[in-house]
Amino acid sequence: MTDLGMVLEVFLFINLLVALLKVTRGPTHADRMLAALLFGTTGVALLLLLAHTEGEPALVDIALALAVLAVIAGAAFAQRAWRGKWEGNEHS
Amino acid sequence: MILRAILWRGVLLAALWCLLTEGRVDSWGLGVASAVLALAASLILLPPGSIRFSLAGLAVFLVYFINQSLRAGVRVALLALRPRLNIHPGIEPVSLRMPVGVGRVILVNTLNLLPGTLVVDLAANHLYLHTLDIGGSIEEEVRVAELRIAKMLGLDLDDEP
Amino acid sequence: MTLDLLLVAALLWTAVQSLATPNLFRGVVLFIVFGLFMALVWVRLHAADIALAEAAIGAGLTGALLLNGVGHLRAKQQSTLP
Amino acid sequence: MSIPELLSASFLLIGAAFFLVGTIGLLRFPDVYTRLHALTKVDNLGLGFTVLGLVIQAPDALAALKLVLVWLLALLASATGNFLIIRRAFDKGIAPWMAQERENDP
């Protein structure tokens, strides 16, 4: 059973690496940020699985913190970093 | 009225702390302090009396919500897996009967998780929805979601637009 | 084992990329991603408390502050440039 | 393997499959709005199934409830964050991708 957990952990991590491609490629700022938020959700799942396979319930708390704080980064992006009119090219 | 709200919310927040610490008792000092702060914040941000929360409504809403989000996930998953991408996305305005306040916040968050809809903007009395298949039955879905949420919160919907 | 190797590779790659990229915004987002990887590394090292701090501060708060900074810089650039 | 273990394993597998599809959607869909459809819906479902699979194996009821709480918070968090970003994208006037454009311009 923990074997399956470990396989799934590697699988989810590879998923993260594929999403990393989107972060580096863009093309728009929103794409990068959304990929980073996807990291949040996948990261939460990964941490929950790790909590199970390593038998450390404290990791659930980390997952909780990650889930909640991802919003702060998302909100900071939407409210502060990404203002002004769309010009079709964001020097990506 | 206000005492009742304080009592209910206090019990809920204490239960939440209990859940977060998984029933340990050594951190209750901090727990009580944060529960009181959270209670104050909730009273300021959401004054009591504006909604009449219904547990039966919550149950109905939860069943509806889980059912719909399963459908949403499967549908988008199938679209993403099709060899030739066959989607007709677009933005549609839909009128809104939900009064301003908590109800709207919950409605927007729910619609974001429902099949084929994504709220892109919120105006005085309508929503702009982005859909994957334009020309579908989006208006009806919004009506259903509105009704369920209004029942849960004991809100009255505005008249027919 | 596989997970650890992938994790180290990803950590190093995001670190180098976030420092080397000429695009400020890309650097910031990569830094947020780096914070998440760092938290996972702490988890693998059995340091759950440091991982919690890293997830909260590195991936959450510092990311928000840096994004705020990018916003200010851009507003300033737009007001000084024609 | 006992029946609960089997059930849990299959939920975990379904969850992982949804995550994979979410990533595929992120790479394949043509614009910000459609990509967000893939993210908000599919990924939350993936997390939901993962949580469900772990809840079955949770040591006690409190631990199980806490896992569900994580899912609910993640749901709320991603719905809110995504709404903020998408509203900003709409504000900035990013036009949604249309199917016709693709037919005219293969």
Side-chain angles (χ1 to χ4, degrees):
Chain A
M1 198 51 226
T2 42
D3 289 346
L4 175 68
M6 281 168 169
V7 172
L8 288 183
E9 279 158 21
V10 174
F11 178 77
L12 284 185
F13 195 79
I14 294 173
N15 250 320
L16 277 187
L17 294 183
V18 175
L20 192 57
L21 269 181
K22 200 83 215 171
V23 175
T24 58
R25 288 245 187 94
T28 71
H29 285 174
D31 289 315
R32 297 181 201 281
M33 199 62 217
L34 285 174
L37 287 183
L38 167 78
F39 264 63
T41 322
T42 317
V44 169
L46 190 54
L47 280 167
L48 291 180
L49 271 174
L50 277 168
H52 177 68
T53 54
E54 300 201 355
E56 278 194 59
L59 300 189
V60 178
D61 294 324
I62 305 176
L64 201 73
L66 198 68
V68 174
L69 286 168
V71 180
I72 297 187
F77 167 71
Q79 303 297 326
R80 300 300 181 110
W82 203 39
R83 290 195 289 205
K85 276 284 155 212
W86 169 247
E87 285 148 21
N89 174 24
E90 289 184 319
H91 330 284
S92 48
Chain B
M1 189 68 202
I2 198 158
L3 273 177
R4 217 177 111 94
I6 289 177
L7 198 70
W8 268 111
R9 290 178 191 190
V11 168
L12 264 178
L13 288 169
L16 187 63
W17 181 263
C18 193
L19 202 58
L20 284 176
T21 54
E22 293 185 46
R24 276 199 304 268
V25 281
D26 50 350
S27 56
W28 267 104
L30 199 62
V32 169
S34 24
V36 168
L37 280 177
L39 185 61
S42 93
L43 288 177
I44 294 168
L45 294 175
L46 179 62
S50 52
I51 56 173
R52 301 184 303 276
F53 197 77
S54 134
L55 273 181
L58 176 69
V60 172
F61 175 73
L62 276 182
V63 170
Y64 163 79
F65 178 79
I66 290 173
N67 187 8
Q68 290 288 316
S69 60
L70 259 174
R71 270 186 53 206
V74 172
R75 203 182 130 195
V76 179
L78 288 178
L79 281 176
L81 286 177
R82 252 185 227 160
R84 195 176 174 280
L85 214 54
N86 184 21
I87 52 177
H88 303 273
I91 293 182
E92 281 184 25
V94 173
S95 61
L96 195 62
R97 290 163 60 202
M98 183 69 79
V100 181
V102 217
R104 276 200 181 182
V105 175
I106 298 180
L107 179 68
V108 166
N109 281 338
T110 309
L111 287 177
N112 276 344
L113 298 161
L114 285 191
T117 56
L118 205 60
V119 180
V120 294
D121 208 1
L122 196 58
N125 54 8
H126 46 277
L127 287 169
Y128 290 92
L129 286 175
H130 182 270
T131 68
L132 282 180
D133 271 308
I134 205 148
S137 56
I138 295 138
E139 180 130 16
E140 287 162 39
E141 302 217 7
V142 175
R143 289 287 157 267
V144 175
E146 243 178 0
L147 209 67
R148 297 274 151 89
I149 292 169
K151 274 226 176 88
M152 174 175 72
L153 298 177
L155 293 169
D156 297 321
L157 292 178
D158 298 341
D159 296 334
E160 284 291 340
Chain C
M1 195 56 212
T2 326
L3 184 63
D4 293 335
L5 285 177
L6 285 173
L7 200 48
V8 168
L11 187 75
L12 287 175
W13 192 79
T14 43
V16 170
Q17 283 291 310
S18 75
L19 288 177
T21 179
N23 180 342
L24 203 57
F25 183 80
R26 186 164 174 258
V28 170
V29 176
L30 280 168
F31 178 80
I32 295 175
V33 171
F34 170 82
L36 177 74
F37 284 140
M38 195 71 228
L40 286 174
V41 167
W42 288 123
V43 165
R44 295 300 290 177
L45 292 172
H46 296 284
D49 43 353
I50 309 182
L52 181 60
E54 179 63 44
I57 300 171
L61 294 182
T62 320
L65 289 176
L66 286 176
L67 285 171
N68 198 354
V70 170
H72 275 294
L73 275 178
R74 183 161 305 154
K76 218 166 189 178
Q77 263 174 1
Q78 277 174 355
S79 62
T80 50
L81 291 177
Chain D
M1 237 201 248
S2 61
I3 288 177
E5 274 187 347
L6 209 63
L7 209 61
S8 156
S10 28
F11 280 142
L12 289 180
L13 281 173
I14 295 174
F18 271 116
F19 274 115
L20 177 66
V21 174
T23 314
I24 293 175
L26 182 70
L27 293 178
R28 278 192 76 195
F29 280 170
D31 72 348
V32 181
Y33 304 100
T34 46
R35 274 181 213 128
L36 215 66
H37 277 282
L39 276 187
T40 47
K41 281 143 204 165
V42 182
D43 271 29
N44 286 324
L45 215 52
L47 185 59
F49 274 108
T50 307
V51 164
L52 200 58
L54 292 174
V55 158
I56 293 175
Q57 297 198 35
D60 54 61
L62 271 180
L65 272 177
K66 193 172 175 183
L67 285 173
V68 175
L69 182 70
V70 172
W71 181 56
L72 286 179
L73 279 178
L75 211 65
L76 193 65
S78 77
T80 314
N82 289 336
F83 172 59
L84 286 174
I85 292 182
I86 211 67
R87 193 180 56 177
R88 176 66 69 188
F90 188 61
D91 251 21
K92 285 170 82 83
I94 296 181
W97 179 88
M98 299 286 196
Q100 286 89 339
E101 284 172 26
R102 191 178 145 133
E103 279 153 24
N104 295 341
D105 165 42

